[in-house]
Amino acid sequence: MLTPEGVGRDAQGAVVEPAVTERPRRTASRLLRLPRLRLPPRLAALRERKRVRELGSDGLALLVAALDVWLVVPPNVATYSLWLSWLAVPAVLLRRHVPFVAILLTIPGFFAGWAQLAAMITLGALARRHLVSWRTVVGAVLVGLSRFVLWPWPEFVALTWREHISDFIYGVLVAGMPVAIGLLMAVRQELSSRIRELARSREREKVLHAATVRSAERAKLAREMHDVVSHQVTLIAMQAGAMQVDVRDQATREAAETIRSLSTRTLEELRELVGVLRSGVDDDEAQPGLEDIADLVQDADVRLTMDACPAGLPGPVSRAAYRTVQEALTNVRKHAAGSRASVRIEAEPHALVVEITNDPPKRRQLGTLPSGGHGLLGLRERAGLLGGSLDAGPTPDGGFEVRARYPLAG
């Protein structure tokens, strides 16, 4: 026998306590890990439909109430008791719409007959709908009295006090059990809705947190671009303008003018991009598309052929085509200076085709221009995200060709 002295700090028997308590914990954990019953996919899909669940619930309630009346018929029963019992069965179909009316319709069949389950089913639906209210109290009292009071009245008076106490206990149980089950189902439904709302709230919090982090990163990136890149491009434009004024050679002046105009345009695009980053909004509509392609090629030796209506193209496809032409012409200026380029944009029935080709370089490139090596890779990734493709490679005459295909469906 355990004594207070035997459970002290220095007691030797204390070392066996973990072994005694481990088994219930392990058993409980195993019970918690029992797999849930999974229905076949078709049955699970049907179960998710509210109308199917309601029809199944009505059918089951009607079947149970009908079996309660049909299986055991008391001997020497009056005709009105039989009719009232059977009239209580279809009343269970009203429990979801008008549960209080349904309970009132089942009480005669329970009081003067034996339709007990019909009354209990409607009482549970009443408690689930109205919770603890006067309707639920009235329905529970009526069901309890129908179980407690025996009809006809002389038979009820002839019962002993022991039988009255037994019938009263059963009346409380018959009325209390449906109310408890209905309240439990209502609480479970409310808890499930709260859990779903909590899950949605957590998802919204995650989205807001991610948006906050992106906004902070965008603001940091905007500051870096404005402080470093914008300053350098401005200096390039100023130096090109000064060179255009100082030199007398016409070719050098034209080159300086080209550098200055390109630097100015780059600075404007950079400022627009910085504004978008600072605003924290994915303003894709502010990005240039095929409607701006003429501005892109007007100051270059480029032959443009367009057989597509920019207004009728999807926004992502139009922007991707513009970036493709822009990157390809940039590569032409960097790696094939002085060569002539051609741009062809054609709208097929289900796709937009963009082709940029250039002739072999006319003069040797002086020095090495900076290049990250990711321009064509980024274009290929952009085309892949849109479901298209991009191919690039040298042509047989020594030039270079970039061909992109963007689907128009969706």
Side-chain angles (χ1 to χ4, degrees):
M1 181 177 67
L2 283 177
T3 61
E5 293 80 5
V7 294
R9 291 183 178 179
D10 300 329
Q12 296 179 357
V15 296
V16 300
E17 284 189 5
V20 176
T21 58
E22 278 297 321
R23 182 170 297 176
R25 291 180 182 176
R26 193 177 298 118
T27 304
S29 64
R30 289 178 180 176
L31 290 176
L32 292 176
R33 295 174 184 173
L34 287 176
R36 297 180 60 184
L37 180 61
R38 293 187 177 182
L39 298 175
R42 293 185 178 180
L43 293 180
L46 289 176
R47 184 176 178 273
E48 294 298 326
R49 298 181 180 179
K50 182 180 179 181
R51 184 59 179 171
V52 174
R53 292 199 305 269
E54 292 177 351
L55 291 177
S57 176
D58 290 343
L60 181 61
L62 189 65
L63 177 63
V64 171
L67 289 177
D68 179 48
V69 176
W70 175 68
L71 288 177
V72 179
V73 180
N76 302 322
V77 65
T79 304
Y80 70 89
S81 297
L82 180 64
W83 280 101
L84 289 176
S85 299
W86 277 109
L87 287 176
V89 173
V92 300
L93 299 178
L94 302 176
R95 73 193 190 285
R96 288 188 296 102
H97 308 285
V98 281
F100 188 69
V101 175
I103 193 70
L104 294 179
L105 293 177
T106 57
I107 290 301
F110 186 20
F111 180 75
W114 61 97
Q116 176 176 328
L117 291 183
M120 294 177 67
I121 291 172
T122 53
L123 179 59
L126 178 65
R128 182 180 181 182
R129 169 73 69 85
H130 297 288
L131 302 179
V132 182
S133 63
W134 67 268
R135 296 182 180 87
T136 305
V137 174
V138 171
V141 170
L142 291 176
V143 172
L145 289 177
S146 299
R147 179 62 180 81
F148 172 68
V149 178
L150 181 62
W151 184 264
W153 184 257
E155 296 182 4
F156 174 72
V157 176
L159 296 177
T160 65
W161 66 273
R162 294 178 182 272
E163 292 174 331
H164 281 303
I165 293 177
S166 177
D167 289 341
F168 177 78
I169 294 174
Y170 277 105
V172 172
L173 293 177
V174 169
M177 185 173 63
V179 173
I181 294 176
L183 294 177
L184 181 62
M185 295 177 65
V187 171
R188 179 181 179 275
Q189 184 178 3
E190 179 67 18
L191 182 61
S192 299
S193 63
R194 294 287 181 86
I195 291 175
R196 288 193 296 269
E197 180 62 27
L198 181 60
R200 288 193 292 266
S201 176
R202 288 181 177 177
E203 290 297 328
R204 288 194 295 267
E205 290 179 359
K206 290 181 180 179
V207 172
L208 291 177
H209 177 70
T212 303
V213 173
R214 287 197 301 268
S215 179
E217 292 295 331
R218 283 174 170 177
K220 181 180 178 181
L221 180 60
R223 288 194 300 269
E224 295 294 333
M225 292 178 64
H226 183 271
D227 295 341
V228 179
V229 182
S230 179
H231 176 68
Q232 300 294 337
V233 175
T234 303
L235 290 179
I236 293 174
M238 293 176 60
Q239 294 293 333
M243 184 173 64
Q244 183 182 3
V245 173
D246 293 339
V247 299
R248 297 182 178 180
D249 183 57
Q250 184 64 25
T252 307
R253 279 189 173 184
E254 292 178 357
E257 173 62 22
T258 302
I259 294 173
R260 190 188 65 80
S261 61
L262 291 177
S263 300
T264 304
R265 184 185 304 171
T266 303
L267 188 60
E268 292 176 357
E269 293 186 1
L270 181 61
R271 287 173 177 171
E272 291 180 0
L273 180 59
V274 169
V276 172
L277 290 175
R278 285 179 173 172
S279 66
V281 180
D282 294 329
D283 193 4
D284 288 336
E285 299 301 329
Q287 301 299 321
L290 280 185
E291 61 275 6
D292 304 312
I293 198 71
D295 298 334
L296 183 63
V297 301
Q298 65 179 356
D299 296 331
D301 188 11
V302 178
R303 184 176 62 255
L304 175 63
T305 303
M306 180 180 292
D307 187 13
C309 179
L313 297 176
V317 173
S318 179
R319 291 187 290 271
Y322 179 89
R323 293 304 181 189
T324 302
V325 176
Q326 185 182 43
E327 178 65 24
L329 294 181
T330 301
N331 290 336
V332 171
R333 296 189 184 99
K334 288 164 56 177
H335 306 292
S339 64
R340 183 177 178 82
S342 62
V343 177
R344 186 177 69 89
I345 302 173
E346 181 180 0
E348 296 182 351
H350 302 289
L352 180 71
V353 178
V354 180
E355 290 184 356
I356 305 96
T357 58
N358 63 275
D359 300 334
K362 297 296 181 59
R363 58 176 180 267
R364 185 172 59 89
Q365 183 70 38
L366 297 177
T368 302
L369 295 177
S371 176
H374 302 291
L376 293 178
L377 179 61
L379 294 179
R380 189 172 286 110
E381 292 176 352
R382 184 192 292 263
L385 291 175
L386 295 176
S389 61
L390 185 137
D391 299 318
T395 58
D397 59 352
F400 200 84
E401 179 183 18
V402 176
R403 189 177 192 275
R405 182 183 178 87
Y406 300 103
L408 298 178

